Amino acid sequence: MILPWTDHPREYFVITAPTRRRQALVLALAVLGATSLAACTAGTGSDGDRPRTPAAPADPASRPDLRRFYGQKLDWRPCGDHRCASLTVPRDYSRPGNGKTFVLPVAKAVTATPGKRVGSLVLNPGGPGERGVRLIQDGVADDLGRGVRERFDIVSFDPRGVGGSKPALTCTTADRAQLAEGEEAPSDAAAAPLHPRTASERADALASARATAADCRAASGPLLPHVGTDDAARDLDVLRAALGERRLTYVGWSYGTSLGTSYAEQFPRRVRAMVLDGAVDPSLDWRQRMLSQSTGFRKAVEEYAVTCADAVGDACPGATPEEIRALIDRLIERTAREPLPVDDAPYGLDAPALVSALSLSMYTPEAQWKALSEALVAADGGDGTKLAALASGEEEQPDGEADGSEGSGEADASEGPADDTSRDEAPRDDVPEDNSEAALIAVNCLDVPHPRDAQAYWDALSPADKAAGVYGTTGVTSELVCKDLPAGPQRPHRVKAAGVPPVLVVGTAGDPATPYGEAVSLARQFPGGMLLTYDAPGHTGYGRSTCVDRKVEEYLVSLTKVRPGTTC
């Protein structure tokens, strides 16, 4: 899908986590590669067996070349109301002694009742590309239940290549940075088609995807092979050791379920408790995943049309579901012909950006449907500004609320290995503060195998159109960038995590981004896996439902099992 302020295709994926403001629970990122977003952690071979490349001992901490990383002691320093430190991890786990590292910022909110402390609870807000440090500094701990808050330090980190990581990913070249700083963009750029049918339209889509891939290779080429989810999961184990925890207690939302799954497969006996909310099924290939998610968005938008009046009352942009469907169809046709004007933007709102706005607004209906309704009314009157803001995932910040950047990476890890990045490459000083787009592109393409032949994508267009309409066809074209970026050895596979304790999977019945069926499947793949169903629309459940919160927190604190068939 196209953001009106860029000249490359951009797709989206959304991560969610509870924040200080419940109505801002969704952190939407307008980015590329959403439908393949969730990292697939897998092996090779027809049976989906997962190789270890290179073969790792059962306890990596016992390897002499990793001992210095596992032996780190975090040097916690004040950063606002919280504490921050830095964790050093090897750039390449197959060659940890080559001097190349990532230095990852870590933040924690100290337990409210030290005398009741059980340990550390590590959170991942999703993405890939979302900053865990910002999650802590935005006040996630304030929204967690009292039982959890009393017993755990709440910890998160910026994964390798993300946010305050040093080095960090970027797909912004010098030329692109100049454009972002105010160079005039082409005024005659045509809106990208939602369904490229002609040879010319497909050539344009392919050229745009290639340009994006070329920018990523030019700006971050040496990092691209080293930002996959399996390596991030190994970093998570180094963090566990640095926190002084014998076993990991973890909550991951959305893409964070992929990170958790990878950890459980690599370190099954080091899991104490694990909650995977908004589950991604690692057995699906790129095309199956794209169809699953695109169909989820189509169904969610239909649910909006049917239930809008009950949800937002007079703000609804139509008196009946038929009127709302007609309005949306009318706007899609209109923006496909000519973008709607957007205030203070070099581009207007085109059809792919409209579809992105609709899709992103499905994540938390209770917080987003009223704004979507008002934006649709404005767009029908000829103003695309509000829809453009929804398409970009913009969110108003309360006055004085930190964005998580200040102090997030200032502290150094004491008694840990030094960062030797400067030996053979200068650190980039032009990486944007929010580099989530670059991280999404790099991680998605590395984790999820994609075809190298463009024809495979064109072959997927018709089935996607039939299953999900414009949500499907834009999903297909967003995958094109991965054709020309590094890919890892992963393959779709079923979870293999013998010895892991019962894992709790949360599935939301109307989840548009990680459809409920994937949660059902993932829970079945874990030995002793438990499924907690949240019977509601929207993306993820923990942080949105008192019932879900209670079940999750009883499990985290007391390891209380959730009975089969439990629904909130």
Side-chain angles (χ1 to χ4, degrees):
M1 298 173 186
I2 308 295
L3 281 181
W5 306 276
T6 64
D7 50 4
H8 293 338
R10 290 290 184 269
E11 249 285 356
Y12 54 87
F13 196 76
V14 173
I15 42 72
T16 64
T19 66
R20 180 174 298 147
R21 297 181 300 149
R22 291 282 176 167
Q23 71 272 22
L25 205 130
V26 171
L27 305 174
L29 300 177
V31 287
L32 185 110
T35 51
S36 64
L37 110 138
C40 198
T41 56
T44 57
S46 59
D47 62 353
D49 285 343
R50 163 193 206 77
R52 295 289 183 231
T53 309
D59 184 4
S62 67
R63 285 176 49 181
D65 54 357
L66 290 177
R67 193 172 297 148
R68 66 191 185 114
F69 296 101
Y70 272 90
Q72 294 175 81
K73 302 297 181 183
L74 295 174
D75 181 17
W76 294 106
R77 302 179 184 181
C79 53
D81 295 332
H82 307 99
R83 294 188 174 273
C84 294
S86 294
L87 181 78
T88 302
V89 296
R91 183 89 57 89
D92 184 347
Y93 275 95
S94 68
R95 296 189 298 163
N98 69 0
K100 297 180 179 180
T101 63
F102 285 102
V103 179
L104 310 179
V106 184
K108 74 173 176 179
V110 178
T111 176
T113 311
K116 294 184 178 181
R117 184 181 183 276
V118 172
S120 298
L121 169 61
V122 180
L123 310 179
N124 180 274
E130 185 60 16
R131 301 176 60 179
V133 166
R134 183 167 59 188
L135 183 73
I136 298 297
Q137 295 187 334
D138 278 354
V140 65
D142 296 338
D143 271 347
L144 299 178
R146 179 179 177 182
V148 167
R149 195 65 190 88
E150 287 181 341
R151 290 167 174 83
F152 294 98
D153 295 333
I154 311 303
V155 178
S156 194
F157 67 106
D158 290 0
R160 52 175 53 215
V162 172
S165 165
K166 298 178 181 178
L169 291 159
T170 180
C171 288
T172 304
T173 62
D175 290 343
R176 202 66 59 195
Q178 290 175 2
L179 181 63
E181 289 174 2
E183 285 190 4
E184 186 175 352
S187 60
D188 58 350
L194 295 173
H195 188 164
R197 291 182 171 87
T198 68
S200 176
E201 289 174 340
R202 292 180 178 184
D204 287 346
L206 190 57
S208 185
R210 283 174 172 164
T212 299
D215 283 350
C216 293
R217 292 196 306 270
S220 298
L223 301 183
L224 295 178
H226 301 295
V227 294
T229 300
D230 279 356
D231 281 340
R234 298 189 72 169
D235 298 343
L236 183 56
D237 196 54
V238 175
L239 175 61
R240 173 202 57 78
L243 290 169
E245 302 294 343
R246 187 173 66 87
R247 294 190 297 165
L248 176 71
T249 303
Y250 175 83
V251 174
W253 289 268
S254 201
Y255 163 79
T257 69
S258 289
L259 181 61
T261 297
S262 179
Y263 185 90
E265 290 189 300
Q266 295 186 72
F267 308 102
R269 299 186 186 278
R270 290 194 188 148
V271 174
R272 175 188 170 272
M274 179 170 285
V275 178
L276 306 179
D277 184 5
V280 176
D281 183 353
S283 71
L284 302 181
D285 64 23
W286 76 272
R287 183 165 163 170
Q288 292 169 324
R289 195 184 308 279
M290 176 273 300
L291 287 172
S292 173
Q293 190 183 67
S294 299
T295 303
F297 283 122
R298 178 187 61 78
K299 290 180 178 178
V301 174
E302 174 62 19
E303 178 73 6
Y304 163 73
V306 171
T307 63
C308 179
D310 293 335
V312 301
D314 293 342
C316 196
T320 66
E322 290 74 21
E323 287 185 12
I324 297 173
R325 295 187 195 104
L327 170 59
I328 291 172
D329 290 343
R330 184 165 66 248
L331 287 174
I332 289 174
E333 293 175 1
R334 180 177 177 179
T335 54
R337 294 192 304 269
E338 182 178 2
L340 294 175
V342 174
D343 290 347
D344 301 322
Y347 290 101
L349 179 93
D350 61 15
L354 168 61
V355 174
S356 182
L358 289 165
S359 301
L360 288 171
S361 298
M362 296 299 110
Y363 287 85
T364 47
E366 65 272 23
Q368 296 176 292
W369 278 8
K370 182 177 180 180
L372 172 64
S373 298
E374 293 171 349
L376 288 171
V377 171
D380 199 34
D383 184 358
T385 304
K386 290 183 177 181
L387 279 176
L390 295 177
S392 69
E394 289 182 1
E395 178 185 359
E396 182 180 353
Q397 295 291 330
D399 292 340
E401 187 166 317
D403 66 358
S405 59
E406 183 176 353
S408 63
E410 295 298 325
D412 295 324
S414 67
E415 301 182 25
D419 175 22
D420 299 322
T421 299
S422 59
R423 288 184 180 182
D424 60 355
E425 56 185 85
R428 292 288 301 270
D429 59 4
D430 57 350
V431 175
E433 181 179 339
D434 180 359
N435 70 337
S436 53
E437 294 186 21
L440 270 154
I441 295 168
V443 177
N444 290 338
C445 296
L446 190 65
D447 279 355
V448 181
H450 279 74
R452 296 300 184 185
D453 181 2
Q455 187 59 45
Y457 301 87
W458 310 143
D459 290 343
L461 280 170
S462 181
D465 184 29
K466 183 177 181 180
V470 295
Y471 308 96
T473 56
T474 53
V476 172
T477 54
S478 73
E479 304 292 329
L480 278 169
V481 68
C482 292
K483 188 180 78 66
D484 296 301
L485 283 175
Q490 301 90 339
R491 294 293 183 273
H493 72 292
R494 294 184 64 80
V495 173
K496 295 189 176 182
V500 73
V503 169
L504 177 58
V505 178
V506 180
T508 300
D511 196 321
T514 51
Y516 178 70
E518 296 193 37
V520 174
S521 177
L522 185 64
R524 289 173 177 168
Q525 292 176 46
F526 274 104
M530 303 175 292
L531 175 65
L532 173 61
T533 299
Y534 178 37
D535 188 11
H539 184 43
T540 73
Y542 183 37
R544 295 179 58 213
S545 160
T546 301
C547 172
V548 172
D549 293 355
R550 183 176 67 254
K551 296 293 184 182
V552 166
E553 292 169 0
E554 287 173 352
Y555 165 71
L556 290 172
V557 172
S558 304
L559 303 180
T560 303
K561 293 185 178 180
V562 173
R563 294 180 179 179
T566 300
T567 299
C568 288

